[in-house]
Amino acid sequence: MPKMLCTCGNLLRYSNIPCEIEYKFISDVDYEGYDKKIDNEELYMRMQSFFLCPECERLWVFWKGFEEAPREYVPIMEK
Ligand SMILES: [Zn+2]
């Protein structure tokens, strides 16, 4: 089962389809490149992914796809 350990210690499992912790995004510039109707599967393939840890709300952004390690973003918590 695909999974990774968040810095907070929470085990992030990402084998479910659809995946509860995975979010897809595309840059405004890349999206703007589509000037007509686009197949949703093609759009899906162009999008990048990040995981949201449900425990600590860290984001793990896969800027270069799943072949490379994701970059970790830590939210600043209000005191
Ligand atoms: Zn976490």
Side-chain angles (χ1 to χ4, degrees), residues 6 8 10 53 56 58:
C6 184
C8 76
N10 187 32
C53 177
C56 69
R58 273 183 175 79

Side-chain angles (χ1 to χ4, degrees), residues 1-56:
M1 171 181 276
K3 57 191 177 232
M4 62 174 272
L5 193 61
C6 184
T7 305
C8 76
N10 187 32
L11 198 58
L12 302 174
R13 300 175 196 277
Y14 52 94
S15 58
N16 288 352
I17 301 174
C19 181
E20 298 87 349
I21 62 165
E22 182 177 355
Y23 293 78
K24 306 298 257 181
F25 68 96
I26 187 168
S27 76
D28 198 40
V29 171
D30 287 346
Y31 185 76
E32 198 62 31
Y34 298 111
D35 57 355
K36 52 182 180 256
K37 273 192 161 185
I38 181 171
D39 181 71
N40 67 341
E41 198 61 32
E42 186 182 340
L43 180 61
Y44 188 86
M45 297 303 289
R46 299 286 181 115
M47 290 192 286
Q48 294 168 289
S49 295
F50 68 83
F51 294 163
L52 170 65
C53 177
E55 293 297 321
C56 69

